[in-house]
């Protein structure tokens, strides 16, 4: 019975709120005492039931929780027929609990999502050389497997026969598919975008890199126990003190009403609603500005972050490779670009797609005698001309002469972190294109804003090569940059920072980021990232708008401050009421109730100020909060 009642706490809260509205309607509109009292009596009993159950359960384990005080206060208010107080207190308490807990279980679905992404079957070579589909759990180390275009690699292994392009974003975060040839290593969970390969299974099941990712997420989530709320910690002292004061007052005066009045005035109505209203306003502001904050605990932790670690691809960069630089060495540019487009449109390689996007509309020609050069590029005949498209090694193979200007351009493009696509026609270099993943517009300014908000260290971790990562770090002014990082390397690095006492936030967007997102004190996911990354995270930047990150940090800082203000207001009012009741003659139930309800209104209005929060420079028509980079709109 108790479980059923607690399981329906949200429905009880809703019904209680409706009854309170009915009671107010009956009092102010219908002027009916019967409707007013009936609605509030039912709301009091209904709302007090789950609170009383929680109080009973806490007392069973010898803990005097805030539920105990609320229960006693409600019974007291009910006993002296102050039904509106008992009803409102129970509703506020239940509503606050609802706001605090509504998002706590979201990350658990991430484990299920990861499991669903894991390969389920594999094409296993039998003794007669044929390949049959088997369950991936039936694959042993040393087995020979076949992977076709579009399939997931079922195990960690080594390519024995064939070649192809594999999308390793789920493991390394690398935006460009990696060419795999004989002897290359492959990871379970990655996707073969084109080609056909046979691999030898080196690691299977939980021993694969993908299996380790799932394990890391599970461990990280298990290690993130819910922090005990400040109000609960405070109530360990507050609740017994109020109870003792009420009992002592009754003991010396034998005035039951005085004892009940102390409990009623000591009931933490403003304390109960103060923190939730700040949370609701802060979360509402975040949602309006494209930031999803998953609960009050997130707000508190995020406000204290001093180190932010970033994944590179899809986070600091756009995630889609584009032609960043180009050079032409022939006057017939339009004709040459037509040849290039004609060849590239027959390829599904990401670099080819970037080239086609750069060229745009053009005249296509028929392509003949196509030859794919392993690790080099493509050679074909277009309108009777021999056209070679590929890297520098292919140009050397074709004995294409590279003059001093071309060599300088190649060196400069490579230094800038580009992948090179060269085009030669009949042995003459005609076009050079540099392709790279572009840095998100405005990221540098956003990172500077984070520093102004108190973040000391900005670190980038990436599966890309160290040279590319260093270029990004230098351009953006980051504190540290580390390349060639697998998921376990990233999470280990974050763990190291935490051991040093740093409060770490991690920003990422892929499956490979989920262990780090879960392990970090605050995980921040880009909204266009995978469902796993979003569900594992504590904060989501909707539409992958990186510029919302400074707003999110500033918002959590001022929201945390606002919560502390409301706690001080609530506790201060209670102390004032109790002190006045015990040590003055002017305090009575009516005045106490007026001040008590007034304090609730004050904390609500204080919390609602957060709805208009913004950062300096975000919008026009704002006024500055002199203590920070924060502003509140007029």
């Amino acid at each position: 019975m108790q479980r059923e009642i607690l399981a329906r706490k949200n429905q009880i809260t809703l019904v209680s709120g409706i009854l309170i509205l009915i009671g107010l309607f009956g009092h102010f509109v219908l002027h009916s005492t019967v409707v007013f009292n009936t609605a509030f009596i039912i709301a009091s009993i209904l709302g007090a039931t789950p609170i009383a159950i929680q109080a009973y359960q806490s007392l069973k384990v010898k803990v005097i929780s805030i539920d105990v005080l609320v229960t006693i206060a409600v019974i007291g208010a009910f006993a002296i027929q102050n039904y509106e107080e008992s009803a409102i207190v129970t509703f506020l308490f239940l509503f606050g609990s609802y706001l605090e807990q509504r998002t706590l279980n979201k990350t658990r679905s991430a484990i299920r999502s990861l499991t669903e992404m894991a390969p389920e079957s594999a094409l296993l070579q039998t003794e007669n050389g044929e390949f049959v589909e088997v369950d991936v759990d039936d694959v042993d180390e040393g087995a020979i497997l076949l992977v076709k275009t579009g399939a997931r690699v079922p195990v960690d292994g080594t390519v024995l026969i064939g070649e192809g392009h594999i999308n390793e974003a789920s493991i390394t975060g690398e935006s460009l598919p990696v060419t795999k040839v004989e002897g290359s290593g492959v990871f379970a969970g990655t996707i073969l975008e084109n080609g056909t390969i046979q691999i030898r299974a080196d690691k299977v099941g939980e021993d694969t890199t993908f299996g380790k990712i799932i394990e890391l997420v599970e461990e990280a989530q298990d290690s993130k126990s819910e922090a005990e709320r400040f109000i609960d910690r405070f109530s360990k002292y507050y609740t017994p003190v109020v109870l003792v004061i009420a009992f002592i007052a009754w003991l010396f005066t034998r005035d039951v009403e005085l004892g009940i009045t102390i409990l009623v005035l000591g009931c933490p109505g403003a304390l109960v609603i103060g923190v939730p209203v700040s949370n609701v306003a802060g979360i509402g502001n975040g949602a309006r500005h494209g930031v999803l904050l998953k609960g009050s605990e997130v707000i508190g932790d995020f406000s204290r972050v001093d180190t932010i670690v970033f994944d590179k691809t899809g986070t600091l960069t756009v995630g889609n490779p584009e032609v960043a630089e180009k050079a032409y060495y022939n006057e017939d540019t339009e004709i040459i670009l037509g040849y290039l487009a004609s060849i590239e449109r027959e390829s599904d390689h990401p670099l080819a797609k970037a080239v086609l996007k750069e060229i745009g509309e053009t005249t296509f020609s028929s392509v003949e005698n196509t030859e794919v050069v392993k690790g080099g590029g493509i050679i074909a005949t277009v309108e009777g001309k021999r056209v070679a498209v590929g890297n520098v090694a292919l140009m050397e193979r074709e004995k294409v002469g590279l003059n001093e200007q071309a060599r300088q351009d190649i060196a400069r493009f490579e230094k800038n972190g580009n992948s090179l696509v060269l085009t030669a026609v009949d042995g003459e270099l005609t076009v050079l294109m540099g392709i790279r993943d572009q840095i998100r517009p405005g990221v540098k300014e956003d990172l500077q804003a984070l520093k102004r908000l108190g973040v000391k260290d900005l670190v980038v971790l990436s599966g890309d090569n160290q040279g590319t990562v260093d270029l990004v770090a230098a351009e953006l002014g980051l504190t540290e940059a580390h390349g060639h990082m697998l998921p376990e390397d990233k999470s280990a690095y974050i763990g190291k920072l935490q051991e040093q006492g740093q409060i770490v936030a991690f920003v990422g967007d892929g499956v490979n980021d989920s262990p780090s997102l879960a392990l970090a004190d605050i995980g921040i996911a880009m909204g266009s990232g995978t469902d796993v990354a979003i569900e594992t995270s504590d904060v989501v930047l909707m539409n992958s708008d990186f510029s919302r990150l400074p707003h999110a940090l500033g918002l959590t800082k001022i929201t945390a401050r606002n919560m502390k203000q409301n706690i001080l207001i609530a506790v201060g009012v209670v102390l004032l009421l109790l002190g006045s009741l015990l040590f003055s003659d002017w305090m009575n139930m009516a005045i106490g109730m007026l001040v008590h309800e007034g304090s609730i209104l004050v904390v609500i209005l204080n919390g609602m100020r957060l709805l208009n929060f913004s950062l300096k420079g975000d919008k026009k028509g704002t006024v500055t909060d002199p203590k920070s980079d924060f502003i509140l709109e007029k």
Side-chain angles (χ1 to χ4, degrees):
M1 184 65 177
Q2 292 183 12
R3 290 183 179 179
E4 293 179 0
I5 293 175
L6 293 178
R8 290 177 170 80
K9 266 206 316 183
N10 293 341
Q11 293 91 324
I12 291 174
T13 304
L14 178 61
V15 174
S16 179
I18 294 173
L19 287 170
I20 289 173
L21 292 177
I22 292 173
L24 294 174
F25 180 80
H27 180 70
F28 292 106
V29 179
L30 302 179
H31 304 291
S32 172
T33 304
V34 175
V35 173
F36 176 78
N37 287 337
T38 302
F40 276 96
I41 288 172
I42 297 174
S44 298
I45 297 173
L46 194 64
T49 302
I51 300 174
I53 291 173
Q54 291 173 164
Y56 169 72
Q57 291 177 343
S58 68
L59 289 174
K60 283 177 62 178
V61 293
K62 300 179 180 180
V63 174
I64 303 177
S65 68
I66 202 168
D67 302 271
V68 176
L69 179 58
V70 172
T71 301
I72 297 174
V74 167
I75 293 174
F78 200 86
I80 60 174
Q81 298 184 359
N82 199 325
Y83 306 126
E84 63 273 22
E85 180 70 16
S86 59
I88 291 173
V89 165
T90 55
F91 171 75
L92 292 176
F93 190 82
L94 292 174
F95 186 62
S97 177
Y98 163 74
L99 293 174
E100 292 270 345
Q101 296 179 7
R102 64 187 297 256
T103 58
L104 290 180
N105 296 321
K106 284 188 176 181
T107 58
R108 288 299 174 186
S109 59
I111 300 296
R112 184 177 63 255
S113 299
L114 273 176
T115 304
E116 290 173 352
M117 293 182 65
E120 296 181 353
S121 62
L123 292 175
L124 175 68
Q125 188 178 51
T126 60
E127 293 181 357
N128 59 12
E130 296 181 355
F131 289 92
V132 296
E133 185 172 354
V134 299
D135 191 284
V136 71
D137 294 332
D138 295 331
V139 176
D140 298 320
E141 292 184 11
I144 307 301
L145 306 174
L146 176 67
V147 185
K148 298 181 179 180
T149 299
R152 289 187 183 276
V153 178
V155 298
D156 286 3
T158 304
V159 177
L160 300 179
I161 301 174
E163 63 178 277
H165 300 293
I166 290 184
N167 184 339
E168 294 187 338
S170 61
I171 300 296
T172 67
E174 172 59 61
S175 57
L176 297 176
V178 180
T179 301
K180 298 295 182 179
V181 296
E182 293 179 16
S184 299
V186 295
F187 298 108
T190 57
I191 301 174
L192 182 63
E193 293 198 341
N194 70 349
T196 301
I197 58 175
Q198 291 183 25
I199 63 174
R200 180 187 67 244
D202 297 331
K203 295 180 180 179
V204 298
E206 296 180 355
D207 294 330
T208 65
T209 302
F210 195 85
K212 289 179 180 178
I213 290 179
I214 297 177
E215 183 180 356
L216 285 169
V217 174
E218 290 174 335
E219 290 178 354
Q221 288 192 335
D222 288 341
S223 67
K224 291 182 75 173
S225 58
E226 180 184 359
E228 189 175 17
R229 295 182 306 176
F230 170 81
I231 294 176
D232 281 337
R233 294 197 301 269
F234 179 80
S235 69
K236 290 180 180 179
Y237 306 97
Y238 176 82
T239 302
V241 167
V242 173
L243 288 172
V244 169
I245 292 174
F247 177 75
I248 292 175
W250 170 80
L251 190 63
F252 280 93
T253 64
R254 297 297 176 176
D255 187 344
V256 175
E257 185 174 350
L258 175 61
I260 293 175
T261 302
I262 291 175
L263 290 177
V264 171
L265 297 185
C267 182
L271 187 63
V272 167
I273 196 61
V275 172
V277 76
S278 297
N279 290 331
V280 170
I283 291 171
N285 179 291
R288 186 156 54 92
H289 288 83
V291 177
L292 175 60
L293 300 169
K294 297 184 179 179
S296 62
E297 188 177 352
V298 170
I299 292 174
D301 291 342
F302 195 8
S303 68
R304 299 190 300 273
V305 162
D306 54 22
T307 301
I308 300 183
V309 179
F310 302 91
D311 175 52
K312 181 182 75 68
T313 304
T315 302
L316 297 177
T317 63
V318 177
N320 295 317
E322 297 179 352
V323 175
E325 299 178 87
K326 53 191 175 183
Y328 301 116
Y329 308 99
N330 188 291
E331 295 181 356
D332 299 325
T333 303
E334 292 187 9
I335 296 175
I336 301 301
L337 291 178
Y339 293 166
L340 175 58
S342 299
I343 293 176
E344 294 287 46
R345 71 171 178 170
E346 296 188 355
S347 171
D348 57 0
H349 194 283
L351 294 183
K353 296 176 182 178
V355 170
L356 287 172
K357 180 180 179 181
E358 175 66 24
I359 295 174
E361 295 185 5
T362 187
T363 302
F364 294 102
S365 305
S366 60
V367 178
E368 301 174 343
N369 304 321
T370 301
E371 177 188 357
V372 178
V373 179
K374 182 168 59 177
I378 300 175
I379 301 172
T381 301
V382 183
E383 293 188 354
K385 299 182 181 295
R386 185 177 176 84
V387 182
V389 180
N391 55 24
V392 174
L394 180 64
M395 298 299 108
E396 294 175 349
R397 178 182 183 277
E398 287 292 291
K399 297 182 180 180
V400 175
L402 301 177
N403 58 33
E404 185 61 26
Q405 181 60 50
R407 293 186 182 278
Q408 290 179 3
D409 291 340
I410 289 171
R412 177 166 53 85
F413 282 22
E414 287 181 333
K415 183 178 179 181
N416 292 338
N418 292 291
S419 297
L420 304 182
V421 175
L422 297 87
T423 303
V425 179
D426 289 337
E428 178 185 351
L429 180 65
T430 56
V431 178
L432 169 63
M433 290 186 176
I435 301 174
R436 67 173 181 263
D437 196 1
Q438 301 295 306
I439 291 177
R440 288 180 180 273
V443 163
K444 188 172 184 179
E445 292 75 15
D446 296 329
L447 295 175
Q448 291 173 347
L450 292 175
K451 289 182 178 180
R452 291 196 299 270
L453 287 168
V455 179
K456 298 177 182 178
D457 296 313
L458 300 172
V459 182
V460 59
L461 307 179
S462 176
D464 284 350
N465 65 78
Q466 188 65 46
T468 300
V469 178
D470 286 339
L471 287 169
V472 171
E475 183 173 348
L476 297 179
L478 300 177
T479 311
E480 297 180 40
H482 301 278
H484 301 293
M485 301 281 279
L486 291 174
E488 54 264 37
D489 300 323
K490 293 181 182 180
S491 57
Y493 184 86
I494 289 173
K496 179 181 176 181
L497 293 177
Q498 291 172 323
E499 289 175 359
Q500 295 172 356
Q502 300 183 50
I503 301 176
V504 183
F506 180 85
V507 188
D509 73 328
V511 175
N512 61 294
D513 298 325
S514 52
S516 297
L517 286 168
L519 181 63
D521 297 287
I522 291 294
I524 305 171
M526 306 297 284
S528 63
T530 64
D531 291 340
V532 173
I534 292 173
E535 292 180 356
T536 309
S537 66
D538 303 300
V539 180
V540 179
L541 305 180
M542 304 307 294
N543 301 320
S544 292
D545 187 352
F546 191 92
S547 66
R548 296 295 87 199
L549 183 55
H551 178 90
L553 178 57
L555 176 62
T556 58
K557 285 181 175 292
I558 197 171
T559 301
R561 185 200 308 174
N562 192 273
M563 283 189 279
K564 293 177 183 178
Q565 292 170 351
N566 280 350
I567 290 172
L568 288 175
I569 292 171
V571 175
V573 167
V574 170
L575 292 177
L576 175 64
L577 290 175
L578 293 178
S580 300
L581 181 65
L582 295 174
F583 303 109
S584 73
D585 297 328
W586 60 270
M587 177 58 66
N588 56 37
M589 175 71 75
I591 295 175
M593 285 298 173
L594 180 63
V595 176
H596 187 272
E597 299 305 321
S599 69
I600 293 178
L601 180 61
V602 169
V603 298
I604 290 175
L605 292 176
N606 186 49
M608 289 180 66
R609 293 190 309 126
L610 295 171
L611 293 173
N612 293 324
F613 163 80
S614 186
L615 280 177
K616 286 181 179 178
D618 271 8
K619 293 184 179 181
K620 296 181 179 179
T622 54
V623 292
T624 304
D625 175 353
K627 295 183 179 179
S628 65
D629 267 7
F630 310 146
I631 55 178
L632 299 174
E633 298 172 8
K634 291 181 179 177

